[in-house]
Amino acid sequence: MAAPTNGKKLVPEEEHPRKAFGLAAHDSSGLLSPFHFSRRNNGDTDVTIKILYCGICHSDLHSIKNEWKNTIYPIVAGHEIVGEIIEVGSNVKNLKLGDKAGVGCMVESCRSCPSCISGFENYCPGMILTYNSVHPKDGTMTYGGYSDMIVVDQDFVVRIPENLPLDKAAPLLCAGITVYSPMKYNGLNTPGKHLGVVGLGGLGHVAVKFGKAFGMKVTVISSSPNKEKEAIERLGADAFLVSRSDEQMKAAVASMDGIIDTVSATHPIPPLLSLLKPNGKMILVGAPEKPLEVPAFTLIFGGKNLSGSMIGGIKDTQEMIDFAGKHNLTADIELISADYVNKAIERLAKADVRYRFVIDIANTLKSNI
């Protein structure tokens, strides 16, 4: 007599290990090519997700090209994953077969350090990244969402609201939480306050949308004057500052309660700090390669605060995606096929995307591409 399944799929022993297929880079050229590999078996607390869409984050570009000098090849990138749950472990509680689910930048943590206990797994010293990490459950490399399926512990999976289109929701699992978390914890989610958003790219355009959803006044700060129409007419920003215009920057001194800086290229920080009101806060979520130059007096005078933030915990990620569902908030994307990924990576390196590439995994990732 067969064992009861309780509505949960049982996988025959002969099917192990789980066969998977994706696109991997094998060296610092970053060129992606077909790659067959294995996923771990679905454990008691795991869910298996059939990947439908995966966003392309700028971190993917750095990683596949080993620009951060920590890549282990072959690497399957992708940490903006959405799909459908096709298997659940016997001890899984709040997820079920058929649920639309998402996986962001991490898939495990130590669960016992102060950061984990307080809901900030993103700052856990033992955080396991969705790709390019060694998973403690089986000692294998983690592979990301440029692939057809993934097995993840239930505690690192978020439910996607039914009303959100999955392709446009995918980037929120990285870009969305990256701006939502610092806005929440720095009081930049208060109606009527004035938020500055530096940079209008994958992170910046989502920060504008969250700022407006919070009821804030939002000013986009950019070095590109040609983005003004886009920022105001398409994304709903209230104002636009050209950071290279001394006149515009001077007129906006001490006018903002907080600033989210999304720019990863090297750029001057003191002029941005001058835009803050006394005790204002500027949070870095972009990561320029060169060290920052910040004279002490630019912080001391006016009691300015400069800090950084990296993604967010799982509880906050679920809160963020639920908030997005409530406000019908999604990323602006360019949906691409799997065979276009290398071209998309080239374009991303030139900032030629508005504002996030998302791979149509389910319909275009084939093992014979």
Side-chain angles (χ1 to χ4, degrees):
M1 180 177 177
T5 65
N6 296 321
K8 298 175 181 180
K9 181 180 177 183
L10 295 178
V11 181
E13 187 65 27
E14 60 267 25
E15 290 186 17
H16 306 269
R18 306 289 295 276
K19 294 181 179 180
F21 174 75
L23 298 173
H26 294 266
D27 55 48
S28 60
S29 70
L31 185 68
L32 299 169
S33 59
F35 178 57
H36 293 270
F37 62 101
S38 296
R39 296 284 192 190
R40 74 168 183 269
N41 222 9
N42 197 93
D44 291 343
T45 61
D46 291 335
V47 299
T48 297
I49 299 172
K50 176 185 177 182
I51 298 175
L52 302 178
Y53 300 99
C54 185
I56 299 179
C57 175
H58 212 282
S59 298
D60 299 347
L61 173 63
H62 291 303
S63 296
I64 63 175
K65 292 181 176 291
N66 196 25
E67 292 176 351
W68 289 334
K69 308 304 179 186
N70 66 348
T71 300
I72 301 172
Y73 293 105
I75 179 174
V76 177
H79 55 209
E80 297 178 346
I81 302 166
V82 293
E84 179 181 351
I85 294 178
I86 58 173
E87 185 178 348
V88 294
S90 59
N91 292 333
V92 172
K93 295 187 176 174
N94 296 315
L95 298 164
K96 63 183 186 303
L97 292 175
D99 279 354
K100 300 303 186 290
V103 179
C105 301
M106 55 186 167
V107 292
E108 189 55 272
S109 68
C110 80
R111 305 183 187 229
S112 60
C113 70
S115 293
C116 287
I117 292 171
S118 56
F120 296 106
E121 302 93 344
N122 49 313
Y123 296 129
C124 171
M127 176 182 65
I128 303 300
L129 298 173
T130 303
Y131 63 84
N132 201 46
S133 285
V134 177
H135 203 291
K137 277 196 173 182
D138 59 3
T140 61
M141 288 299 302
T142 58
Y143 294 121
Y146 297 6
S147 58
D148 58 357
M149 54 86 77
I150 190 168
V151 181
V152 185
D153 188 281
Q154 62 178 339
D155 291 338
F156 290 83
V157 176
V158 298
R159 295 176 306 281
I160 306 297
E162 288 292 334
N163 63 304
L164 290 182
L166 294 181
D167 53 352
K168 295 180 179 179
L172 298 181
L173 295 165
C174 175
I177 188 58
T178 294
V179 298
Y180 180 93
S181 181
M183 293 171 77
K184 173 182 176 179
Y185 289 103
N186 288 279
L188 301 180
N189 58 355
T190 306
K193 283 196 173 184
H194 188 180
L195 171 70
V197 176
V198 185
L200 195 63
L203 294 175
H205 91 285
V206 175
V208 172
K209 292 187 177 190
F210 274 112
K212 294 306 298 179
F214 285 134
M216 303 182 74
K217 176 183 178 181
V218 178
T219 295
V220 171
I221 307 159
S222 174
S223 60
S224 304
N226 60 354
K227 291 186 178 182
E228 180 173 3
K229 183 176 180 180
E230 175 84 3
I232 294 176
E233 295 183 9
R234 191 160 182 265
L235 296 175
D238 298 284
F240 186 90
L241 278 181
V242 179
S243 58
R244 293 176 179 174
S245 169
D246 293 339
E247 181 180 352
Q248 290 187 29
M249 293 291 284
K250 185 176 180 180
V253 164
S255 66
M256 300 178 186
D257 296 288
I259 294 173
I260 298 288
D261 187 345
T262 70
V263 176
S264 294
T266 301
H267 59 288
I269 299 298
L272 299 171
L273 291 170
S274 73
L275 303 176
L276 291 172
K277 296 176 181 178
N279 299 310
K281 299 177 179 181
M282 177 169 162
I283 304 98
L284 304 178
V285 294
E289 291 184 17
K290 295 182 180 179
L292 303 179
E293 294 185 8
V294 184
F297 284 113
T298 62
L299 297 174
I300 293 172
F301 284 102
K304 311 294 176 65
N305 295 275
L306 178 64
S307 64
S309 181
M310 182 180 73
I311 55 174
I314 296 299
K315 182 179 178 181
D316 286 329
T317 303
Q318 185 66 64
E319 178 183 292
M320 176 276 303
I321 203 75
D322 288 342
F323 180 88
K326 181 179 178 180
H327 293 271
N328 291 309
L329 192 159
T330 58
D332 290 4
I333 69 164
E334 182 175 332
L335 189 63
I336 63 170
S337 61
D339 59 6
Y340 188 78
V341 171
N342 284 310
K343 181 63 177 179
I345 294 293
E346 290 178 10
R347 288 179 53 194
L348 179 60
K350 301 173 185 176
D352 178 23
V353 57
R354 198 179 71 178
Y355 285 96
R356 209 62 149 192
F357 287 116
V358 173
I359 310 168
D360 184 353
I361 297 289
N363 293 314
T364 69
L365 182 65
K366 310 297 180 184
S367 60
N368 60 351
I369 66 171

